[in-house]
Structure formats: structure tokens, C-alpha cells
């Protein structure tokens, strides 16, 4: 790190010294700028929160009553002489990149992002900067996503075949972001759509934000049980291993995740099918996003850090890394199980959702 850096690493999280605030801190702080509402980035216990206007609903679902200030995308504010603005990250509803300007420098902290089109959130916006802080969740050349049209054709075909055979189609995915992207992409004419109780409050927040989703029901709202045999059931991964699944009788199970591109991942999870669907940028997306910023210095966080740093240095960029507590499956799973985004007593091991 350099003496005049706009973002430095502290035990509480990523800190802006001239502004005296943190970005997605993992320990309680007085002022936190939040890139998005996933549990590893938006945690309980901060005195004041700043996030994009689009994130308000999902943050309330996740964190309840907090001191929350919101900012429309692109609008600039000044705090302690630091000009701050939020720009679409394309990750989930309300996700934002944080642009900081001070002392002749411009820094951008990406949070999590994807560059592929997604009807459920604002599209990723490249922001010119001197220094770009990027995630690297899928920062390996093997990760290359297929177009959504091809992906959802596969999901719809799987659901149609199951419905014709009288089997429920149980699709496991994370309740926030991934579930809504699935709902927006499937063909709702195939059959009824049932969602888990962890998914429906987030659906409501998306609808309130103006995102179009097909009608969904909880299983307790279904009077005619024969409907379940034609249904698409969207639920968190934890529900697949619980007694909740028994009410659907014979079912085909699938998991939607970027990790499904890894050979053997579906088999190890015990799913019948795997669909490669991610809310993060793939390798070409990461490289394209970094290039579009024009940044000559790049700081890499959570994911395939060593590979990304080495590759970027080979391309002539000044590359280094921050050691963060982002990318934890454990935190997101805890939210979906009991509704709590509160961090566990011990910091989670770094992985990626």
C-alpha cells in the first residue's frame, strides 16, 4: 500500500482514510458503505449504512431496521472532502460499485459484479478510474458462461419433461439474486411455481422495486396437491436436504451455480442436474471489466487471487491483493436457514458463493 491510498485494509474491513468510512466492513464500524445485500458484504452492527436506492428493499429484508441512507446511481455526494458515488455492478438488485475521488485520484471498489445481461438488476457500468478493486470469484480461464437463452432453454426443457412425467422439478439456488434471476428467465406457462419461505420475501422486494417476476406461491398455499407434480420448486440448497422436500413426493433435483461448470460438482452435491448460472463475472467478463476501467493499478479480492494478480502483472498492470472476509458460503447459508445475517462467532473460511 502507498501513503495516499484512498482505500486500505484494516481488521474491520476496507477503509477510506480521508473519508473516515468503510466499504463492506466485516466488523462493526460507525459508517459503512454497502455494495450489496449479500450476507458477506452487508452485516449487522454498523452505526450508519449507505447503499444504492435500489438496494433499500432487499437490505431491509436482510437486516431489518438499520440507519440507512440511500443514493441513486450516479449521484455524487461529498464526505470529509471525498466525492463518493455509486454505479451499477450488475450482480443483484441494488448492487453497486463505489467510486471515490480525492486528492486527484479516482478509485473504484467493485464489490461483486457480473457483465452479462440480467433483467432483475441494473446492468454493469464500467467506471473510469486510476485504481480498481475487483473480485475474482471465478477468476480462472475455465469459467466461461453460456448465453442466458441457451441456459434457460435447458432449464425449461428439464422442467417440461418432469412435468410430463408427473415429477416436481426442484431447483436449488441462493434465495437472493439467483432465485429471482431464475424466476425471470423460466417459461412460467409450463406449470405452477412454488418457492421456499426464504425466497418469497425477497421476491416481494424485487417486485416493489419494479422487477417483473412471474406469480409464485408457497407450498402451504397449494390446495390441490396434484399441482405439485407439475411444479417448478425454487428453494435454497439447505432445503433439498431437509424434510421440507418430502411434501413434493417424487422429484427431480437440480442446482444452479457457477460451480456447476466444475466436473463432478453436481455428483458430489447429490443433484440429478446442474445448471451453470452465476451472478458473478466469468473470466472474459472480469478481464473486460478491468480493461474498461482504464485502471493501471488493480487490487484483487476474494476468489482466485494469486492467478488474477499474476495474469494482470503479465499484462503490464500494477496488481496486488487485499485479504478480505468476502465470499463465504457459510454466511449466506445462515441467512437462508434462519433469516439471520449476523456473523458467526468465528470468521468463516474464505470460499465463494
Amino acid at each position: 500500500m502507498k501513503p495516499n491510498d484512498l482505500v486500505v485494509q484494516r481488521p474491520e474491513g476496507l477503509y477510506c482514510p480521508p473519508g473516515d468510512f468503510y466499504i463492506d466492513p466485516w466488523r462493526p464500524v460507525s459508517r459503512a458503505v454497502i455494495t450489496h445485500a449479500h450476507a458477506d458484504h452487508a452485516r449487522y452492527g454498523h452505526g450508519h449504512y449507505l447503499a444504492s436506492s435500489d438496494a433499500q428493499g432487499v437490505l431491509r429484508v436482510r437486516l431489518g431496521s438499520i440507519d440507512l441512507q440511500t443514493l441513486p446511481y450516479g449521484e455524487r455526494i461529498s464526505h470529509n472532502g471525498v466525492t463518493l458515488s455509486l454505479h451499477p455492478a450488475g450482480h443483484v438488485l441494488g448492487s453497486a460499485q463505489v467510486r471515490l475521488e480525492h486528492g486527484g485520484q479516482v478509485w473504484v471498489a467493485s464489490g461483486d459484479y457480473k457483465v452479462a445481461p440480467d433483467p432483475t438488476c441494473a446492468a454493469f457500468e464500467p467506471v473510469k478510474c486510476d485504481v480498481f478493486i475487483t473480485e475474482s470469484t471465478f477468476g480462472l480461464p475455465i469459467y466461461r458462461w453460456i448465453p442466458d437463452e441457451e441456459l434457460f432453454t435447458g432449464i425449461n426443457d428439464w422442467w417440461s419433461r418432469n412435468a410430463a412425467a408427473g415429477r416436481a422439478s426442484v431447483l436449488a439456488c441462493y434465495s437472493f439474486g439467483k432465485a429471482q434471476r431464475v424466476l425471470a428467465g423460466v417459461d412460467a406457462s409450463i406449470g405452477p411455481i412454488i418457492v421456499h419461505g426464504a425466497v418469497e420475501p425477497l421476491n416481494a422486494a424485487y417486485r416493489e422495486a419494479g422487477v417483473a417476476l412471474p406469480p409464485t406461491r408457497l407450498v402451504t398455499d397449494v390446495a390441490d396437491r396434484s399441482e405439485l407434480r407439475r411444479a417448478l420448486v425454487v428453494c435454497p440448497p439447505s432445503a433439498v436436504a431437509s424434510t421440507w422436500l418430502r411434501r413434493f413426493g417424487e422429484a427431480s433435483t437440480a442446482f444452479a451455480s457457477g460451480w456447476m461448470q466444475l466436473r463432478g460438482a453436481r455428483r458430489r452435491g447429490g443433484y440429478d442436474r446442474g445448471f451453470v448460472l452465476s451472478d458473478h463475472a466469468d473470466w472474459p467478463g472480469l478481464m473486460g471489466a478491468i480493461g474498461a476501467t482504464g485502471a493501471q493499478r488493480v487490487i484483487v479480492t476474494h476468489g482466485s487471487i494469486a492467478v488474477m494478480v499474476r495474469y494482470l502483472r503479465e499484462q503490464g498492470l500494477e496488481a496486488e491483493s487485499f485479504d478480505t472476509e468476502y465470499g463465504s458460503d457459510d454466511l449466506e447459508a445462515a441467512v437462508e436457514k434462519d433469516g439471520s445475517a449476523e456473523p458467526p462467532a468465528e470468521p468463516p473460511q474464505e470460499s465463494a458463493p
Side-chain angles (χ1 to χ4, degrees), residues 87-159:
H87 303 264
H91 177 57
V92 292
L93 179 63
S95 60
Q97 304 170 81
V98 182
R99 182 187 185 274
L100 307 175
E101 184 173 355
H102 177 79
Q105 298 185 75
V106 175
W107 286 49
V108 171
S110 71
D112 289 331
Y113 64 94
K114 75 171 178 294
V115 299
D118 181 347
T120 68
C121 64
F124 177 85
E125 174 188 300
V127 181
K128 294 292 184 181
C129 57
D130 302 303
V131 183
F132 186 52
I133 303 174
T134 179
E135 63 142 315
S136 61
T137 303
F138 291 102
L140 294 174
I142 61 169
Y143 292 112
R144 298 171 186 267
W145 312 143
I146 63 173
D148 273 12
E149 181 180 358
E150 182 179 343
L151 168 70
F152 284 106
T153 294
I155 294 176
N156 289 330
D157 288 348
W158 167 73
W159 179 14

Side-chain angles (χ1 to χ4, degrees), residues 278-353:
S278 178
D279 289 327
H280 298 263
D282 60 4
W283 177 262
L286 289 166
M287 295 304 111
I290 292 169
T293 68
Q296 293 302 299
R297 184 179 172 198
V298 180
I299 303 175
V300 182
T301 69
H302 61 300
S304 301
I305 294 174
V307 172
M308 285 267 291
V309 168
R310 183 171 63 250
Y311 181 81
L312 293 172
R313 287 175 178 172
E314 290 170 353
Q315 306 312 302
L317 298 178
E318 183 182 352
E320 57 207 273
S321 65
F322 280 143
D323 183 16
T324 70
E325 293 186 11
Y326 307 140
S328 170
D329 281 344
D330 295 341
L331 285 177
E332 198 63 25
V335 173
E336 298 185 335
K337 185 176 181 181
D338 60 21
S340 171
E342 197 165 356
E346 294 295 328
Q349 296 299 308
E350 191 170 39
S351 59

